[in-house]
Amino acid sequence: MERKIESIFFDVGATLRYVVEDPEFAAAAEQELMELVGATEPHDVFFEKLEKNWKAYRKWAKTELLDVSEMELWLQYLLPDYPADRVASNAARLTRLWRDHDGRRVVHDGTLETLRELKRRGYKLGIIANTITETEIPDWMCRDGVADCFQTVLLSSKVRLRKPDPTIYLLGARCIGSDPKACAYVGDNPVRDVEGAVNAGFGAMVLFEDAGTADREGKAPTVEPDFKIKSIPELLALFPDKG
């Protein structure tokens, strides 16, 4: 790559990790979630209501390009009719369980090795992700031994801003100490990830093509990425050793 890139930011969901269906794992998460809030409705009724509230929140978040904290999410949007003290005190755990009811999250092949190699090559690495969780991604980084690879981690649930708002990308560049033109972004969404990075003036946008997520925004991309890859290790051909 001829562009002078010094910092590389990553999306997480579907880019660094993907969801594996696990009915037993999901069922256990759903059971614990109901127990934590003291749900009295039947399982299907409870989760039908929760799913309806979740879709309404997602529509609002995507329209406003904002996210809320875990506590606000559960108190104001997902379970506003449940005891506030019980919901608030368990908000972080509830978020993890709500995500777990989709399945287990695992890293794509070669991801951890690629992150470590990019760091060794002299790049500053960061994360810019839309997520409702405030702790799950940092916990994953520690669990898989890559926390030291990332100098900046921006989560929409913490900073409120949400992709594709270019402001969250510009904040990332400022936090990591690089001009936007010296930053690259790696993401899987051809609308949200590409538009945000390009509109923020990032020096390079790399699209990790994933057939399972390519059209989930329901609209056609307005801008094109600079590069397309089929696997995370392909980044090593784009970002040579800076030494």
Side-chain angles (χ1 to χ4, degrees):
M1 182 181 292
E2 297 181 359
R3 311 175 192 203
K4 294 182 179 180
I5 300 297
E6 60 184 35
S7 298
I8 307 171
F9 287 92
F10 292 86
D11 173 48
V12 177
T15 300
L16 298 182
R17 303 187 302 171
Y18 63 101
V19 177
V20 175
E21 292 187 6
D22 186 331
E24 185 176 346
F25 179 83
E30 292 175 356
Q31 180 64 31
E32 184 179 346
L33 194 157
M34 293 183 70
E35 291 174 355
L36 279 181
V37 300
T40 56
E41 305 104 315
H43 173 279
D44 291 352
V45 173
F46 177 80
F47 279 96
E48 181 180 356
K49 178 179 67 175
L50 194 51
E51 186 67 34
K52 179 181 179 180
N53 291 346
W54 168 246
K55 289 180 178 178
Y57 171 75
R58 291 281 286 172
K59 182 178 181 180
W60 174 85
K62 288 184 177 184
T63 300
E64 300 297 328
L65 295 185
L66 295 171
D67 267 317
V68 299
S69 68
E70 290 176 313
M71 186 177 295
E72 291 171 293
L73 175 67
W74 289 96
L75 288 177
Q76 297 183 27
Y77 295 93
L78 298 189
L79 293 177
D81 55 338
Y82 271 72
D85 55 349
R86 187 162 186 167
V87 171
S89 63
N90 290 299
R93 182 59 182 164
L94 292 174
T95 306
R96 301 284 283 267
L97 294 169
W98 177 242
R99 285 168 58 80
D100 286 349
H101 101 292
D102 291 331
R104 293 183 295 105
R105 286 167 171 78
V106 299
V107 295
H108 285 288
D109 290 343
T111 292
L112 304 181
E113 296 82 358
T114 300
L115 293 173
R116 295 181 183 119
E117 176 60 18
L118 288 172
K119 178 192 174 185
R120 189 200 66 78
R121 291 184 180 188
Y123 294 95
K124 295 185 289 184
L125 306 183
I127 286 174
I128 299 175
N130 288 350
T131 179
I132 59 172
T133 177
E134 299 177 31
T135 60
E136 194 266 337
I137 288 176
D139 285 351
W140 156 69
M141 292 161 50
C142 294
R143 185 172 62 252
D144 276 357
V146 290
D148 65 329
C149 291
F150 297 103
Q151 294 190 26
T152 297
V153 178
L154 294 184
L155 308 178
S156 62
S157 57
K158 295 287 286 185
V159 301
R160 304 296 178 126
L161 303 167
R162 179 182 174 86
K163 299 181 297 181
D165 186 342
T167 308
I168 193 172
Y169 294 86
L170 295 173
L171 178 59
R174 182 180 179 182
C175 289
I176 211 166
S178 294
D179 188 282
K181 294 180 180 179
C183 295
Y185 190 76
V186 182
D188 71 287
N189 192 294
V191 175
R192 180 172 61 235
D193 291 334
V194 178
E195 287 182 359
V198 171
N199 291 337
F202 269 33
M205 198 290 145
V206 183
L207 179 66
F208 178 23
E209 294 185 297
D210 186 317
T213 59
D215 62 352
R216 62 186 174 185
E217 290 299 309
K219 60 179 181 178
T222 59
V223 291
E224 290 294 319
D226 299 293
F227 306 95
K228 295 180 180 181
I229 59 174
K230 295 290 187 180
S231 68
I232 293 299
E234 291 179 43
L235 291 174
L236 299 179
L238 296 177
F239 300 104
D241 198 315
K242 294 176 64 65

